[in-house]
Amino acid sequence: MGKRQELAEAATDHALEHGLIGLSLRPLAAAIGTSDRMLIYHFGSKDELVDAVLDVSNERSIAVIRSTPAADSVEAAVTALWDVFSSGQLQRCQRMYVEAAALGLFGREPYATSVRRSNDVWLAAIADHLRASGASESAAPRLASLVDATFNGLMLDGPLEDDAVARAVVQDLASAIAG
Amino acid sequence: MGKRQELAEAATDHALEHGLIGLSLRPLAAAIGTSDRMLIYHFGSKDELVDAVLDVSNERSIAVIRSTPAADSVEAAVTALWDVFSSGQLQRCQRMYVEAAALGLFGREPYATSVRRSNDVWLAAIADHLRASGASESAAPRLASLVDATFNGLMLDGPLEDDAVARAVVQDLASAIAG
DNA sequence: CCATCAACGTAGCAGGTGCTACAGTTTTAT
DNA sequence: ATAAAACTGTAGCACCTGCTACGTTGATGG
């Protein structure tokens, strides 16, 4: 594995744990055993570093979705998706995605572009999963957008609400969709 | 109106337009016709300034919801809420709320505390509105959480998606809830 | 054996950050 | 009129930011 990719993975791990918003080169470099000098050397600029980190995180997210077995109903798929969404690796990746999307809310680069790029493939992966779980070909994309929006919204208020509350909301959404 | 409140309103206007994440005292002060020196004098610290800005914005949001007439069905209420949510003053306030929530995602103060505080009264206002539009007493809070999460999620991807797409997703949600 | 080039350390630059010290001026209350 | 309080301009401090200039390694390939 090239040094650049190695650093991108390590930087992603660090950003997933400490957040993307306050990210700065020197503390990041110290945490992953290198220097700001080296980060700029390998990535060219902080923006390209961030781009790489967002790409790595997005790839990890997609991998989790693709390896989640399909459910036997859309309702079951939605609740199952929330389980993988709200814990483990995917939860951290999505939390960082929310940060990136917030940073891009006012058009700031490189966040806006990177978020746009990753959102497309992400929604497609969700739609595929819903199709495999019984959603109709035509309904899947809009269903994916709805589920994605709701999950991201719950993620935003994640530190606020009880896990049980979020679970109940997801259950409401799942049965509303099915009903 | 005291000078402090006056500055808080002006700072809120500026933050609503330029974002909360990159906010710094000197450019803000210059834009609203004062100096960083004065902002610190009147607010004590940047954190307290941010607190005040978030409070003003939240109050404006609540005022909009409270002045929105009730609909004659929950389904109609949800789509009508999205209309006021996705345009005008409320859209900007919610966009900034999303920024604040993202800033608080990793527990950073004063954002985490301020977001928690405003979210309570905000959800209560949504629930009240849904009750007035025919939602049952018991279902209203969870419905409010669901609607709020979905709207915030759509707001996050607002710059990405077409307005029509978001509208369709909201329509799906509304009819799913009603059905 | 030597040249080449990627990899890296040290030091530093220019600009921005929140915030403060000091010295006033204006307004208010008595 | 006088004392107190509220307000404000000017400079500047200590720190952080992304990034760069310069010099040094260490491995590789002809």
Side-chain angles (χ1 to χ4, degrees):
Chain A
M1 182 162 51
K3 201 77 186 174
R4 181 188 157 117
Q5 189 62 22
E6 201 174 308
L7 286 173
E9 298 282 342
T12 303
D13 289 336
H14 183 266
L16 286 174
E17 194 161 349
H18 296 85
L20 189 68
I21 289 184
L23 189 69
S24 65
L25 295 184
R26 266 176 270 248
L28 165 65
I32 67 178
T34 180
S35 66
D36 59 329
R37 167 73 180 74
M38 279 302 103
L39 291 176
I40 295 292
Y41 174 76
H42 284 288
F43 293 93
S45 69
K46 183 193 174 184
D47 281 1
E48 290 187 49
L49 196 237
V50 167
D51 253 347
V53 163
L54 255 20
D55 279 351
V56 169
S57 174
N58 192 47
E59 279 159 24
R60 292 187 191 175
S61 288
I62 304 282
V64 171
I65 291 293
R66 294 233 189 274
S67 72
T68 299
D72 34 317
S73 75
V74 173
E75 178 173 5
V78 170
T79 56
L81 272 179
W82 175 250
D83 282 342
V84 302
F85 204 94
S86 62
S87 67
Q89 171 99 318
L90 192 48
Q91 188 243 341
R92 276 171 236 159
C93 288
Q94 284 299 313
R95 184 174 54 167
M96 195 168 78
Y97 172 83
V98 166
E99 278 192 295
L103 280 161
L105 257 185
F106 287 79
R108 187 190 313 195
E109 296 301 343
Y111 308 99
T113 298
S114 184
V115 163
R116 174 171 238 108
R117 172 168 20 102
S118 64
N119 193 246
D120 292 339
V121 40
W122 170 252
L123 280 179
I126 299 275
D128 280 350
H129 185 82
L130 292 176
R131 263 188 285 262
S133 303
S136 81
E137 185 67 27
S138 61
R142 276 161 63 175
L143 221 49
S145 286
L146 172 57
V147 168
D148 179 56
T150 306
F151 283 8
N152 279 334
L154 287 173
M155 175 84 36
L156 247 189
D157 294 341
L160 279 63
E161 313 201 29
D162 195 348
D163 278 5
V165 173
R167 213 182 187 78
V169 169
V170 170
Q171 183 57 49
D172 283 355
L173 174 66
S175 51
I177 287 175
Chain B
M1 182 160 53
K3 200 78 186 173
R4 180 188 156 116
Q5 189 63 23
E6 201 173 306
L7 287 174
E9 298 282 342
T12 303
D13 289 336
H14 183 265
L16 286 175
E17 194 162 350
H18 295 85
L20 189 67
I21 289 185
L23 189 68
S24 65
L25 295 184
R26 266 175 270 248
L28 166 64
I32 66 179
T34 181
S35 66
D36 58 329
R37 166 75 180 74
M38 280 300 102
L39 291 176
I40 295 293
Y41 174 76
H42 284 288
F43 293 93
S45 69
K46 184 192 172 183
D47 281 2
E48 288 187 51
L49 197 237
V50 167
D51 252 347
V53 163
L54 256 18
D55 279 352
V56 169
S57 174
N58 192 48
E59 279 159 24
R60 292 187 192 176
S61 288
I62 304 281
V64 171
I65 290 293
R66 295 233 188 276
S67 72
T68 300
D72 33 318
S73 75
V74 174
E75 178 173 4
V78 170
T79 56
L81 272 179
W82 175 250
D83 282 341
V84 302
F85 205 94
S86 60
S87 67
Q89 171 98 320
L90 192 47
Q91 188 243 342
R92 276 171 237 158
C93 289
Q94 285 299 313
R95 185 175 52 167
M96 194 168 77
Y97 172 83
V98 166
E99 277 193 295
L103 280 161
L105 258 186
F106 287 78
R108 188 190 313 197
E109 297 300 343
Y111 308 98
T113 299
S114 184
V115 163
R116 174 170 238 108
R117 172 168 20 102
S118 64
N119 193 246
D120 292 339
V121 41
W122 170 252
L123 279 179
I126 300 275
D128 280 350
H129 185 82
L130 291 176
R131 264 188 285 260
S133 302
S136 81
E137 184 67 28
S138 61
R142 275 161 63 175
L143 222 48
S145 286
L146 172 57
V147 169
D148 179 56
T150 305
F151 283 9
N152 280 333
L154 288 173
M155 174 82 39
L156 249 190
D157 295 341
L160 278 63
E161 312 201 29
D162 196 349
D163 278 5
V165 173
R167 214 182 188 80
V169 169
V170 169
Q171 183 57 49
D172 283 355
L173 175 67
S175 51
I177 288 176

